[in-house]
Amino acid sequence: MGHPVAHSRSPWIHTRFAQLTQQSLQYERRLVPLQGFAADLQAYIAAGGKGCNVTVPFKLDAAQAAHTQSPRVALAAAANTLVIDAEGRIHADNTDGLGLVADITRNAQVSISGQDIVLIGSGGAAAGVLGPLLEQQPRRIVVCNRTFNKAQALVEQHAELAKLQKVELLALEQQGLEGNFDIIINATAASLQGAGIPVPASVLRPGSLAYDMMYGPAAAPFLQWAAQHGAVGRDGLGMLVEQAAESFALWRGVRPPSQQVLQELRDVLAQEARA
Ligand code: ATR
């Protein structure tokens, strides 16, 4: 459920997961009117819907529409996965951060524990991943954003978890950002607007992981910038597949072979780009 949804690769991913795990599943795009999320969700449940993913701009509405929330949803105030039980009650979860962590640690084989991280952006995308990043116990996470007070608010919201996990968590101004980091995560919409890279190249170390949560052409400027400065660029396609795998496991209790599906999806996208 989203607006827009035409671009979404999720039906392809979940259909492939279902094939590979012998699950019977129908997963379709659902374009939701901008002002009509709650009513549309009820219509979906009345029609027999068992679960859904929720994307921009409804992740906050999805969290609010649920009867119960996972701790991750409570922290991020955003949900991307809804599970509908037999009585029509709605449980909300957020698998975005788990997907990011799985892609970095399992697929890219980069450890988060003990590392210095900068998270750029403080919108819904950044909010959804900060909790799971903290749970990996990096040494430090700096949150920076064009609008500084949003970064501050996000840090305040996560201060207790950071303390619990013994992680140094702070907000810094994007412009004057100093120091360099092991992992740089771009959770902004800057490249969609052709606005360039929101932080100075001095944040990169040779061999740093520079991760853009977008994929396809939207991630290209960030990946190019990373390569120019000796960092290892990675797009968000793996995060997309891994968050889908977490959602699939919540709905079905079965873990799909996400690395295989990620490779297949990369091949499909490469073929499309050549066509
Ligand atoms: P999403 O749910 O995808 O995170 P969002 O909530 O609109 O979308 O947040 C977009 C993020 O990209 C914000 O951190 C935004 O910065 P502001 O909080 O200052 O708006 C950031 N962003 C968008 N355009 C940007 C640009 N041109 N330069 C830098 N940051 C930008």
Side-chain angles (χ1 to χ4, degrees):
M1 300 177 76
H3 191 126
V5 281
H7 64 286
S8 173
R9 300 286 172 171
S10 293
W12 188 94
I13 295 169
H14 284 287
T15 302
R16 194 71 191 112
F17 284 168
Q19 285 168 349
L20 291 167
T21 57
Q22 281 91 46
Q23 294 281 306
S24 166
L25 174 142
Q26 197 178 343
Y27 184 112
E28 291 165 5
R29 298 180 184 90
R30 190 170 172 107
L31 181 67
V32 177
L34 280 176
Q35 301 306 325
F37 179 79
D40 200 61
L41 177 61
Q42 284 310 325
Y44 170 70
I45 294 170
K50 295 284 189 282
C52 56
N53 285 131
V54 180
T55 188
V56 177
F58 301 120
K59 291 186 181 183
L60 187 71
D61 304 78
Q64 288 170 350
H67 299 99
T68 54
Q69 301 180 333
S70 73
R72 284 190 291 272
V73 171
L75 196 60
N80 77 333
T81 305
L82 299 178
V83 183
I84 321 297
D85 73 12
E87 279 79 50
R89 288 175 62 81
I90 306 163
H91 177 71
D93 211 324
N94 194 325
T95 63
D96 285 333
L98 301 179
L100 174 68
V101 165
D103 191 46
I104 292 176
T105 58
R106 266 209 315 266
N107 300 342
Q109 303 244 306
V110 172
S111 167
I112 294 175
S113 162
Q115 305 287 311
D116 287 342
I117 299 180
V118 59
L119 179 63
I120 315 161
S122 297
V129 301
L130 185 52
L133 285 173
L134 285 166
E135 282 167 0
Q136 292 294 303
Q137 299 192 304
R139 192 177 78 89
R140 181 168 70 122
I141 300 183
V142 170
V143 180
C144 71
N145 191 43
R146 180 177 61 177
T147 312
F148 180 59
N149 60 14
K150 281 170 68 182
Q152 271 179 315
L154 197 58
V155 163
E156 270 168 37
Q157 216 174 305
H158 288 75
E160 205 176 316
L161 177 62
K163 204 169 153 196
L164 197 72
Q165 299 290 348
K166 301 187 172 56
V167 181
E168 186 189 342
L169 175 65
L170 65 159
L172 289 178
E173 300 269 3
Q174 195 164 277
Q175 284 305 318
L177 184 62
E178 282 180 2
N180 51 34
F181 299 85
D182 301 296
I183 304 176
I184 297 92
I185 300 171
N186 185 17
T188 74
S191 52
L192 282 184
Q193 305 169 357
I197 308 306
V199 291
S202 55
V203 299
L204 301 171
R205 292 175 189 157
S208 296
L209 176 68
Y211 196 103
D212 197 318
M213 284 170 54
M214 300 204 180
Y215 61 89
F222 186 82
L223 298 185
Q224 203 176 4
W225 170 80
Q228 274 165 2
H229 295 93
V232 179
R234 188 168 177 90
D235 70 11
L237 199 66
M239 174 180 173
L240 177 74
V241 174
E242 294 295 350
Q243 64 77 33
E246 297 287 347
S247 297
F248 191 91
L250 283 172
W251 294 323
R252 296 302 172 122
V254 178
R255 189 150 284 281
S258 49
Q259 287 180 323
Q260 176 186 339
V261 173
L262 172 57
Q263 190 50 54
E264 289 177 2
L265 183 56
R266 277 206 196 283
D267 293 345
V268 168
L269 294 185
Q271 247 170 26
E272 283 179 11
R274 278 196 300 271

